[in-house]
Amino acid sequence: QALLQESGPGLVKPSETLSLTCSVSGDVLTANPYYWSWIRQPPGKDLEWLGYVAYDGTVYYSPVFSSRVSISRDTSKNQFTLRLFAVTPEDTAVYYCARHHVDQTPSLRSGPSKTTGRWGQGTQVTVSS
């Protein structure tokens, strides 16, 4: 089955850009009809969906983060990336990448749950000076 793994710096300074990579094995980003998401969980808070890139390359962002988030993919490396600009300490969280079937995307947008989809183990990112 598909395996997903997040990687990137664990510490980012305020005002800088948070950049993470999700490496996918056992599946391809172009597999129809799957969507590839970035999701995070701040300490003591619920999961927050950031956005996804679909199998056809279409990107959609959560309105909460759309002004400062960018998701892209590199099909040659079977990786997709997250960039979150102008971070503050409120962006401190565990960041996950995940794969969902198209039928699960409405619930994903409204409130992610680890009971659906395939998830990476997550990576802790702390925003601090």
Side-chain angles (χ1 to χ4, degrees):
Q1 289 191 354
L3 297 175
L4 295 80
Q5 182 169 315
E6 306 87 349
S7 63
L11 181 64
V12 182
K13 294 181 178 179
S15 81
E16 295 186 341
T17 298
L18 184 158
S19 297
L20 297 173
T21 297
C22 183
S23 299
V24 178
S25 61
D27 203 353
V28 293
L29 298 177
T30 54
N32 186 345
Y34 289 96
Y35 287 63
W36 306 85
S37 291
W38 284 103
I39 301 157
R40 76 179 190 183
Q41 187 167 37
K45 298 182 179 180
D46 294 333
L47 293 164
E48 300 174 330
W49 176 72
L50 302 173
Y52 58 53
V53 55
Y55 59 93
D56 64 355
T58 302
V59 179
Y60 187 86
Y61 303 119
S62 166
V64 178
F65 303 99
S66 62
S67 65
R68 61 188 186 100
V69 69
S70 179
I71 295 172
S72 60
R73 70 176 185 176
D74 186 338
T75 56
S76 68
K77 297 180 179 179
N78 215 34
Q79 296 177 332
F80 64 105
T81 62
L82 170 72
R83 300 188 72 194
L84 185 65
F85 309 106
V87 298
T88 74
E90 297 300 313
D91 294 309
T92 295
V94 176
Y95 285 76
Y96 301 90
C97 55
R99 186 199 73 176
H100 289 82
H101 190 275
V102 62
D103 291 348
Q104 297 297 319
T105 57
S107 59
L108 176 66
R109 295 183 185 182
S110 62
S113 171
K114 291 185 179 180
T115 61
T116 61
R118 295 282 294 179
W119 294 64
Q121 293 193 136
T123 186
Q124 172 71 42
V125 180
T126 299
V127 179
S128 176
S129 61

